[in-house]
């Protein structure tokens, strides 16, 4: 085998290990490269059962059968068993880079300990009275929001998963109100966080607008900033220096990667409550791991002990079962959508996509009501995109103030599966600007033209801008060149920056589905490529269409949509299994 047979970064990693252990055989070096390649693809480890007997890279040799492969790795100086140190860890039939094994085992242990820790001082009668006040009976079946609030009060960790419009944030507001009511005169230290600045700002704004939490003056931040992570340095807050919080609410938890989740949970005081909000059916994090999906595995029923506690606190007839793990006992699934009517096209389409039902999904799009097809034709697609942004262009041309421009921009967004290609982000952005140039030729010659919407692509703490923040270039007589880039602040204000001071950014008439997580728009145009692609999956389609509040159009063929819905994102990980160990 030559290094040319391996991808670049795995090849470099394998070469380093080969120098550390010159006696290591080709199988061990191949598996080391596989482990490095796996984390780059979002896996936490390599499932050896999946690769045994196969050729892992073009030009490489076939790996031996599973039993021989495990035995070879177990005898290697590059590989350690759990608890010992080596660059690679063999845990059963899973092979990890050491740091990812440590992250996974640490996160599982911390979550299990938190789930098992008793909560003292919560009087059931008092909790029942508080929840009855916060959740008046609607008489429409079991109130799972009320159940979720009870779990969050009664446990040190609560996982609340639900699709769009199921009331996750509203439930979080009432959870905080219940904890404040039960804390007496002792003030609660509450933290709000999310993986992205955009999601953190939305969480803060939603809780600031909620009646139950308006007076708490809560501030949202990114998980990175909360932990004091910057520039690859060790976090400021960790087990030795825990976060000064009594409660931490984390939104968009599906975007948490394994490393970040492990550092976050480790930094939270043992007595604090952790509330994770998210949608387990959405795309997982860009980095390694699918934490929320792993944690929520097996949810849907409570153990006898939790069933009795929750029933007493809520009066609801919750489901009794045999949860596979203590974390399932702390997980509540919200399924009733308050955003979409039961008969709405977007809501029905989301349910069909989540179930992988391509036939029903296509039939709903055929109806063309608030969910419909968009022909996958370059010119017609470009015209549809331009028409979608016409109200925004009109607002800019009329000299509307920045707030009105932001409101117009957020009404419509194009979400693409890919960055490149004729139906990717870059092509759609160019198509919009070509049509704008027909009205104003200067658009093609000026980087910063009035109305250019941009998304920040790298955190800049000095400028208080986060990856994913969206700004608009608008006329400003006091700015260099007469243009300022305007951003909305979490406090509801506006900030103006000279284009010369802008960090890395990109035009954002279209963005990838991955980048859209944590955002919502009135109307969404979801663009899939005309040919099969490794990125197409049920989770990607579901995530894209559920960014829409009112209407979604899907630019794809029925055949390609069916292929996407038949493909699930599966990430090799042992987290779900570890969480089932009692």
């Amino acid at each position: 085998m030559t290094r040319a047979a391996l991808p670049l970064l795995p090849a470099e990693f394998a070469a380093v290990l080969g120098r550390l252990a010159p006696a290591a055989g080709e199988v061990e070096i191949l598996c080391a490269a596989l482990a490095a390649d796996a984390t780059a693809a979002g896996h936490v480890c390599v499932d050896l059962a999946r690769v045994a007997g196969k050729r892992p890279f073009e030009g490489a040799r076939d790996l031996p059968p599973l039993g021989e492969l495990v035995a070879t790795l177990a005898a290697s100086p590059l590989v350690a068993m759990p608890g010992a140190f080596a660059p690679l860890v063999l845990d059963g039939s899973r092979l990890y880079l050491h740091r990812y094994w440590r992250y996974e085992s640490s996160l599982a242990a911390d979550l299990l300990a938190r789930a098992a820790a008793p909560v003292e001082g919560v009087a059931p009668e008092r909790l029942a009275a508080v929840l009855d006040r916060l959740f008046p009976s609607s008489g429409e079946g079991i109130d799972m929001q009320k159940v979720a609030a009870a779990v969050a009060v009664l446990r040190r960790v609560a996982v609340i998963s639900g699709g769009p419009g199921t009331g996750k944030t509203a439930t979080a507001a009432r959870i905080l109100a219940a904890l404040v009511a039960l804390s007496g005169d002792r003030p609660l230290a509450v933290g709000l966080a999310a993986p992205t600045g955009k999601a953190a700002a939305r969480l803060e704004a939603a809780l600031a607008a909620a009646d139950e939490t308006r007076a708490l003056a809560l501030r949202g931040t990114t998980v990175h900033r909360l932990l004091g992570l910057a520039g690859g340095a060790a976090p400021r807050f960790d087990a030795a220096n825990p976060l000064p919080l009594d409660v931490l609410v984390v939104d968009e938890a599906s975007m948490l990667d394994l490393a970040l989740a492990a550092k976050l949970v480790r930094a939270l005081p043992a007595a604090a409550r952790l509330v994770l909000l998210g949608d387990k059916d959405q795309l997982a994090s860009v980095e390694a791991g699918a934490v929320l999906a792993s944690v929520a595995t097996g949810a849907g029923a409570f153990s006898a002990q939790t069933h009795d506690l929750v029933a007493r606190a809520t009066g609801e007839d919750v489901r009794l079962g045999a949860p596979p793990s203590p974390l399932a006992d702390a997980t509540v699934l919200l399924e009733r959508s308050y955003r979409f009517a039961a008969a709405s096209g977007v809501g029905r389409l989301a349910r069909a996509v989540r179930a992988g039902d391509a036939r029903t999904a296509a039939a709903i799009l055929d109806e063309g009501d608030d969910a419909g097809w968009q022909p996958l034709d370059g010119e017609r697609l470009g015209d549809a995109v331009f028409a979608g942004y016409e109200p925004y262009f009109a607002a800019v041309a009329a000299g509307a103030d920045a707030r009105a421009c932001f409101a117009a921009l957020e009404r419509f967004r194009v979400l693409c599966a890919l960055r490149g290609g004729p139906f990717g982000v870059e092509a759609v952005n160019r198509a919009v600007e070509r049509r704008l140039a027909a009205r104003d030729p200067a658009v093609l010659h000026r980087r910063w033209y009035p109305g250019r919407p941009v998304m920040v692509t790298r955190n800049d703490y000095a400028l208080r801008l986060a990856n994913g923040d969206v700004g608009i270039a608008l006329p400003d007589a006091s700015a260099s060149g007469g243009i300022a880039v305007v951003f909305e602040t979490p406090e509801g204000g506006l900030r103006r920056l000279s284009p010369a001071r802008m960090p890395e950014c990109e035009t954002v008439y279209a963005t990838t589905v991955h980048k859209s997580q944590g955002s919502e728009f009135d109307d969404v145009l979801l663009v899939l490529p005309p040919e099969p692609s490794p990125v197409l999956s049920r989770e990607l389609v579901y995530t894209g269409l559920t960014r829409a509040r009112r209407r979604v159009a899907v630019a794809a063929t029925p055949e390609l949509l069916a292929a996407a819905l038949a493909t699930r994102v599966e990430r090799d990980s042992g987290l779900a299994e570890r969480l089932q160990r009692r």
Side-chain angles (χ1 to χ4, degrees):
M1 179 192 69
T2 65
R3 288 181 61 197
L6 305 178
L8 179 59
L9 291 179
E12 294 295 334
F13 178 69
V16 170
L17 294 192
R19 290 193 293 270
L20 287 175
E26 186 176 2
V27 167
E28 296 145 75
I29 297 299
L30 271 176
C31 287
L34 267 176
D37 194 49
T39 57
H43 302 286
V44 175
C45 59
V46 177
D47 182 350
L48 297 176
R50 184 172 53 81
V51 300
K54 298 179 181 178
R55 183 166 299 178
F57 301 106
E58 186 177 352
R61 58 160 286 179
D62 290 349
L63 294 174
L66 181 60
E68 182 182 341
L69 179 58
V70 169
T72 299
L73 291 171
S76 172
L78 295 174
V79 181
M81 296 298 109
F85 179 80
L88 302 170
V89 175
L90 181 63
D91 194 341
S93 63
R94 295 187 177 97
L95 184 69
Y96 295 79
L97 298 180
H98 187 275
R99 68 179 180 276
Y100 283 98
W101 176 85
R102 189 176 69 249
Y103 287 142
E104 185 178 276
S105 55
S106 166
L107 177 60
D110 288 346
L111 285 174
L112 287 172
R114 191 171 291 279
V119 174
E120 307 292 343
V122 178
E125 296 77 12
R126 173 66 173 143
L127 174 58
V130 169
L131 294 180
D132 285 345
R133 174 174 57 82
L134 293 171
F135 297 89
S137 176
S138 65
E140 298 180 4
I142 297 175
D143 188 342
M144 293 306 294
Q145 292 187 10
K146 188 177 185 181
V147 170
V151 169
V153 173
L154 293 167
R155 289 186 168 273
R156 301 289 181 198
V157 58
V159 182
I160 303 172
S161 175
T166 52
K168 297 184 294 294
T169 306
T171 303
R174 295 174 185 178
I175 289 169
L176 295 178
L179 290 171
V180 168
L182 293 167
S183 67
D185 296 330
R186 186 177 72 85
L188 284 180
V190 178
L192 306 180
T196 68
K198 181 76 171 179
R202 284 185 58 245
L203 176 63
E204 177 184 317
L207 293 181
D211 293 339
E212 298 87 353
T213 48
R214 185 176 293 123
L216 296 182
L218 301 171
R219 291 288 178 264
T221 185
T222 64
V223 176
H224 279 84
R225 183 168 286 186
L226 178 72
L227 293 175
L229 280 166
R236 176 187 174 194
F237 294 101
D238 54 22
N241 181 36
L243 290 161
L245 295 175
D246 298 306
V247 187
L248 175 61
V249 178
V250 181
D251 199 10
E252 298 293 344
S254 65
M255 299 169 67
L256 282 176
D257 62 81
L258 177 67
L260 193 59
K263 292 170 185 176
L264 178 65
V265 177
R266 178 53 59 97
L268 199 61
R273 287 177 172 85
L274 172 64
V275 180
L276 298 175
L277 309 175
D279 186 345
K280 66 180 180 63
D281 296 307
Q282 276 191 195
L283 280 169
S285 61
V286 174
E287 303 297 330
V291 173
L292 185 64
S294 296
V295 169
T297 298
F302 292 123
S303 66
Q305 181 182 15
T306 301
H307 173 276
D308 291 346
L309 286 172
V310 171
R312 289 173 62 193
T314 64
E316 301 287 354
D317 185 18
V318 292
R319 183 180 169 194
L320 177 64
S325 77
L327 261 297
D329 231 13
T331 302
V332 179
L333 305 180
L334 304 181
E335 297 182 332
R336 179 184 175 187
S337 177
Y338 297 87
R339 180 186 304 170
F340 306 121
S344 79
V346 178
R348 290 161 54 219
L349 181 61
R351 290 193 294 273
V353 167
R354 188 174 59 193
D357 186 347
R359 180 176 296 181
T360 299
I364 294 167
L365 291 168
D366 286 342
E367 294 171 8
D369 191 4
D370 53 352
W373 297 104
Q374 167 64 44
L376 198 59
D377 170 87
E379 282 303 308
R380 295 171 71 183
L381 178 63
D383 291 343
V385 172
F386 197 75
Y389 281 114
E390 278 287 19
Y392 169 67
F393 298 142
V396 173
D401 63 30
R403 295 184 195 283
C405 290
F406 273 107
L409 179 64
E410 294 299 296
R411 292 192 188 111
F412 176 70
R413 189 62 47 89
V414 183
L415 306 180
C416 300
L418 303 175
R419 288 193 56 80
F423 295 94
V425 168
E426 295 163 357
V428 171
N429 284 330
R430 287 195 300 269
V432 172
E433 291 186 330
R434 282 198 305 271
R435 286 165 171 77
L436 278 175
R439 298 179 178 178
D440 179 6
V443 168
L444 292 180
H445 307 290
R446 296 175 61 189
R447 184 183 182 208
W448 293 103
Y449 56 85
R452 181 192 176 199
V454 295
M455 176 182 285
V456 175
T457 57
R458 176 180 288 185
N459 294 335
D460 190 318
Y461 295 113
L463 291 175
R464 292 180 290 126
L465 290 175
N467 183 4
D469 285 352
V470 172
I472 301 175
L474 292 173
D476 189 332
S478 65
S480 173
I483 290 287
V485 186
V486 185
F487 291 87
E488 294 180 305
T489 69
E491 298 79 21
L494 297 171
R495 294 181 60 220
R496 289 174 169 81
L497 289 177
S498 164
R501 298 185 64 200
M502 282 291 294
E504 294 180 21
C505 61
E506 60 188 18
T507 304
V508 73
Y509 296 112
T511 188
T512 61
V513 174
H514 276 91
K515 283 279 190 179
S516 74
Q517 288 179 270
S519 300
E520 294 178 355
F521 312 97
D522 286 348
D523 297 351
V524 163
L525 172 54
L526 176 62
V527 182
L528 306 183
E531 302 295 335
S533 167
V535 306
L536 288 180
S537 67
R538 184 186 307 179
E539 290 83 359
L540 181 136
V541 175
Y542 174 81
T543 301
L545 69 90
T546 55
R547 300 309 89 203
R549 285 186 288 252
R550 189 181 66 179
R551 189 179 191 281
V552 64
V554 178
T557 64
E559 296 76 17
L560 188 76
L561 179 63
L565 299 195
T567 303
R568 300 299 306 270
V569 174
E570 295 183 2
R571 292 190 167 179
D572 290 345
S573 165
L575 182 58
E577 182 179 305
R578 291 182 194 279
L579 293 174
Q580 293 175 22
R581 299 174 186 172
R582 296 177 181 268

